[in-house]
């Protein structure tokens, strides 16, 4: 019986592989391409190759079978957080099978999953940010780094900035587009998207004077006083094509190493922006809105440990009272 069976025909039972593949097919037009690529990678490179050894029917699946898979992935070298993502894919596919009355209950709900690793951000301090701005001066990614530190934008959001995103008259900058690397027929390509991660990611921010001055210099460098193409991307390479996200991260890492600065990821500039705001006692709700988090709980979860300095200030206030 083929494992890509017609699931309306349940006469011989339903294969787990068929359920996973149908779930994956149904996700294609319901999630972003990046998310779908992640699902497809997990299914085709982990879940299906492992379970093809046994060709189980979903009626045969037990929590212990799933736990054995999770342990096998850990032994292969996957992190607990990655195994959690595999578990989430399996759980969603089996939830769909329950909904379609192919099985009575979802064994993934009872399976024990490896404990997630808690990621603690390690942002730059004010002093480290100043050192970075000194060494980045004159580099190809200077303005990109300045925007990351000033606005806490994601790499994809910075590269997604177009000239129409910047209103020099009203001093605003609109965040509503992104550039990401995606797989297309096995090839990695750059793709622009108007749909950002979440609705909260769409935001209009004030254009800081220093950033405005740098952007005006960049506009003149590219267009020599002519009006820019509104649809054109601001950050382009020597070929006039929008910069590769991977190149930005690689160049950032190279500069840190060359100048012996503490190594952080490019994304940690976003966390560094949050750190600058929080240690200056900016209300958490304002930090949330500046960064474009979907809820204040997200901001609190990520940056709760950064607020210790503000707790010390609060302690001083209590002592004075």
């Amino acid at each position: 019986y083929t494992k890509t069976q017609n699931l309306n025909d349940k006469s011989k039972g339903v294969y787990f592989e068929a359920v996973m593949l149908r779930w994956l097919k149904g996700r294609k037009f319901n999630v972003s391409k990046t998310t779908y690529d992640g699902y497809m990678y997990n299914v085709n490179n982990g879940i299906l190759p492992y379970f093809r050894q046994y060709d189980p029917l979903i009626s045969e699946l037990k929590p212990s079978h799933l736990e054995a898979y999770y342990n096998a992935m850990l032994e292969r070298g996957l992190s607990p957080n990655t195994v959690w993502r595999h578990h989430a894919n399996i759980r969603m596919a089996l939830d769909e099978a329950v909904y379609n009355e192919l099985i009575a209950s979802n064994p993934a709900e009872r399976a024990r999953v490896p404990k997630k690793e808690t990621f603690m951000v390690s942002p730059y301090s004010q002093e480290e940010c100043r050192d970075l701005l000194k060494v980045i001066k004159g580099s190809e990614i200077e303005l990109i780094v300045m925007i990351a530190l000033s606005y806490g934008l994601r790499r994809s959001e910075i590269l997604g900035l177009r000239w129409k995103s910047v209103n020099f008259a009203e001093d605003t900058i609109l965040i509503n587009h992104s550039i990401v690397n995606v797989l297309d027929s096995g090839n990695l390509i750059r793709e622009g998207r108007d749909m950002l991660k979440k609705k909260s990611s769409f935001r209009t921010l004030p254009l800081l004077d220093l950033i405005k001055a740098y952007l005006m210099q960049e506009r003149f460098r590219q267009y020599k006083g002519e009006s820019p193409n509104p649809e054109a991307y601001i950050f382009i390479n020597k070929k006039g094509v929008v910069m590769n996200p991977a190149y930005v991260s690689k160049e950032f890492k190279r500069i840190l190493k060359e100048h012996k600065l503490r190594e952080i990821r490019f994304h940690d500039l976003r966390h560094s922006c949050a750190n600058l705001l929080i240690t200056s006692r900016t209300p958490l709700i304002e930090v949330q809105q500046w960064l474009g988090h979907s809820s204040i709980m997200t901001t609190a979860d990520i940056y709760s440990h950064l607020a210790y300095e503000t707790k010390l200030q609060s302690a001083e206030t209590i002592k004075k009272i």
Side-chain angles (χ1 to χ4, degrees), residues 10 32 50 81 90-91 114 150 160-161 163 177-178 181 185 220 240 266 301 309 320:
K10 303 184 283 290
S32 72
Y50 175 86
N81 290 1
I90 293 171
R91 191 191 70 241
S150 301
L161 290 173
W163 288 110
H177 190 76
S178 66
N181 282 334
S185 302
F220 184 80
F266 184 86
D301 286 345
E309 186 173 326
K320 289 176 183 176

Side-chain angles (χ1 to χ4, degrees), residues 56-69:
L57 300 170
I58 53 171
S59 59
E60 300 170 338
L61 270 182
K62 297 179 180 178
S64 59
H65 298 147
L66 300 178
E67 290 170 12
Y69 169 68

Side-chain angles (χ1 to χ4, degrees), residues 1 8 60 88 101 122-123 180 182 196 211 218 222 268 276 283 291 296 300 304:
Y1 211 62
N8 292 322
E60 300 170 338
E101 299 181 349
S122 183
V180 292
V182 296
L196 291 177
I211 300 300
E218 181 62 21
Q222 291 184 29
D268 289 324
L276 296 176
L291 296 178
I296 195 169
S304 59

Side-chain angles (χ1 to χ4, degrees), residues 160-191:
L161 290 173
R162 293 168 288 185
W163 288 110
K164 70 177 185 180
S165 308
V166 183
N167 189 323
F168 290 101
E170 297 184 9
D171 288 337
T172 60
I173 185 166
L174 176 65
I175 316 301
N176 69 344
H177 190 76
S178 66
I179 288 289
V180 292
N181 282 334
V182 296
L183 282 173
D184 183 36
S185 302
N187 298 315
L188 204 60
I189 62 170
R190 267 157 275 173
E191 183 175 282

Side-chain angles (χ1 to χ4, degrees), residues 82-126:
T82 300
V83 173
W84 257 91
R85 287 193 285 274
H86 287 223
H87 164 72
N89 293 163
I90 293 171
R91 191 191 70 241
M92 287 188 284
L94 293 177
D95 273 343
E96 193 172 276
V98 172
Y99 176 79
N100 290 319
E101 299 181 349
L102 301 176
I103 47 175
S105 63
N106 186 344
E109 296 290 352
R110 304 190 304 279
R112 292 169 295 187
V113 191
K115 187 177 180 181
K116 271 187 175 181
E117 296 172 327
T118 303
F119 175 71
M120 297 290 284
V121 299
S122 183
Y124 269 4
S125 64
Q126 285 189 25

